Amino acid sequence: MNSLKISIVANNIKILGSNGTKGLEGGTSAFYIDSENMIDAGNLLKPLGVESARIKNIWLTHSHLDHIIDIAYVLDSYFEEREETLVIKGLKETLDAVKTHFFNDVIWPDFSKITLGNSNINALAYEEIDLYKEYTLGSGIKLEAFETDHTVKSCGYVVQKENSAVLITADTFGLESMISQLAVKKEIKSLVIECSFPSKMEELAKISKHLTPKLLFNKLQTVDNSNLTLYINHIKPLHKKRILEEIALFKGSWKVKILKDGEIINF
Ligand SMILES: [Zn+2]
Ligand SMILES: [Zn+2]
């Protein structure tokens, strides 16, 4: 993964997983922010390999499996290589769900009770984050969570370096809070928005709190897109062909790119 080392130099993030569910051709949501920080953990192990042992923080958007699954395997597969605690960052409800339903000694070991090697360093820890608070990483990148609209408590992130930023919605139905972020953060140059289902599945999209191309571009109608690039992720692979056709149909003047695993967003 030599290209990953390049990605921390400039203002860019790497897409480790772009799909809305696990499929043969790719992984689910995960973003490489720098060598120590990832957003979501849908697909870390395969693209990063042993490099995943160096991850210090995973910033979660929400507790759904397609966003958390590789936390389990990063800990397990590279346990011997880990030297520091893996810290899971997220909203209180997200962390509570991960502790109660995932690392609970039933589904997977409670790694927060396990220490690394012969040390007294815990393998796993949790740190609650606040919405609308800026967190500065060692690499100088700033992260800020904003609330999103999903079936469980959820957030997206604005990732900023110097004077430019990329906004990631993660799973959401409403885009009001994202549009509010655009109004106050003029540094945002790129948007990553989910689009899970084709428009014929609008009812399911509403119930499961996801977007279709029609809903997405309707909700974006009031947004001035002259300085924005729109990246789309979280497409359900089964419906990809139809979704891409509909995006082309509804996108209007938006500059749109469909994200693929391994792709880099320069922002
Ligand atoms: Zn979800
Ligand atoms: Zn998801």
Side-chain angles (χ1 to χ4, degrees):
M1 292 290 110
N2 41 16
S3 58
L4 289 171
K5 296 201 169 59
I6 300 163
S7 72
I8 59 169
V9 178
N11 288 10
N12 54 45
I13 57 172
K14 182 157 183 161
I15 311 305
L16 300 178
S18 61
N19 290 311
T21 195
K22 202 176 174 77
L24 292 176
E25 78 275 28
T28 55
S29 293
F31 299 85
Y32 181 103
I33 306 304
D34 61 34
S35 61
E36 298 177 347
N37 292 276
M38 310 291 142
I39 291 179
D40 280 347
N43 194 41
L44 300 177
L45 201 66
K46 205 171 160 194
L48 295 177
V50 70
E51 202 182 334
S52 61
R54 296 216 301 271
I55 300 172
K56 286 188 183 169
N57 305 302
I58 298 175
W59 302 73
L60 293 179
T61 60
H62 65 298
S63 56
H64 283 158
L65 191 64
D66 54 322
H67 300 252
I68 65 169
I69 188 161
D70 266 7
I71 305 171
Y73 300 120
V74 162
L75 283 167
D76 205 24
S77 300
Y78 292 110
F79 191 80
E80 296 292 315
E81 282 79 7
R82 289 206 69 84
E83 292 171 356
E84 291 185 58
T85 304
L86 176 65
V87 181
I88 307 303
K89 311 254 193 184
L91 301 175
K92 182 183 183 303
E93 292 84 348
T94 305
L95 300 185
D96 286 347
V98 172
K99 286 180 211 170
T100 308
H101 303 295
F102 195 14
F103 293 100
N104 57 4
D105 284 332
V106 177
I107 298 295
W108 209 248
D110 179 356
F111 277 89
S112 69
K113 294 191 297 202
I114 298 172
T115 52
L116 295 173
N118 296 320
S119 73
N120 56 2
I121 300 169
N122 283 11
L124 180 66
Y126 301 92
E127 269 179 32
E128 196 181 321
I129 61 163
D130 295 322
L131 290 166
Y132 309 105
K133 180 178 168 181
E134 198 172 81
Y135 296 88
T136 304
L137 311 180
S139 56
I141 290 171
K142 294 180 175 124
L143 289 186
E144 185 175 323
F146 63 95
E147 191 163 19
T148 48
D149 174 32
H150 199 36
T151 52
V152 291
K153 186 83 170 179
S154 64
C155 66
Y157 289 94
V158 176
V159 182
Q160 184 168 344
K161 193 168 180 192
E162 288 147 13
N163 290 324
S164 66
V166 52
L167 177 150
I168 299 166
T169 63
D171 299 10
T172 196
F173 177 73
L175 290 179
E176 293 82 359
S177 60
M178 183 210 79
I179 292 169
S180 304
Q181 288 293 298
L182 286 177
V184 293
K185 289 191 165 61
K186 299 297 176 196
E187 299 87 356
I188 297 170
K189 306 286 187 335
S190 306
L191 306 174
V192 181
I193 307 184
E194 73 122 296
C195 191
S196 299
F197 295 115
S199 301
K200 68 174 182 192
M201 297 172 79
E202 188 169 312
E203 272 315 300
L204 179 61
K206 279 181 184 161
I207 294 164
S208 61
K209 294 239 172 192
H210 285 295
L211 288 165
T212 68
K214 195 173 173 184
L215 288 167
L216 169 63
F217 288 103
N218 263 335
K219 288 167 193 261
L220 288 175
Q221 261 176 8
T222 58
V223 175
D224 172 8
N225 61 16
S226 45
N227 289 317
L228 293 170
T229 302
L230 171 59
Y231 296 88
I232 290 179
N233 74 341
H234 208 277
I235 289 174
K236 298 284 183 188
L238 187 64
H239 305 291
K240 188 165 183 179
K241 186 171 175 287
R242 182 71 195 142
I243 292 170
L244 297 191
E245 286 167 3
E246 289 187 3
I247 288 168
L249 188 66
F250 293 115
K251 72 184 174 80
S253 59
W254 279 91
K255 292 184 283 293
V256 178
K257 289 181 183 166
I258 311 298
L259 284 176
K260 296 191 195 89
D261 292 15
E263 206 160 5
I264 286 171
I265 294 179
N266 294 298
F267 61 95

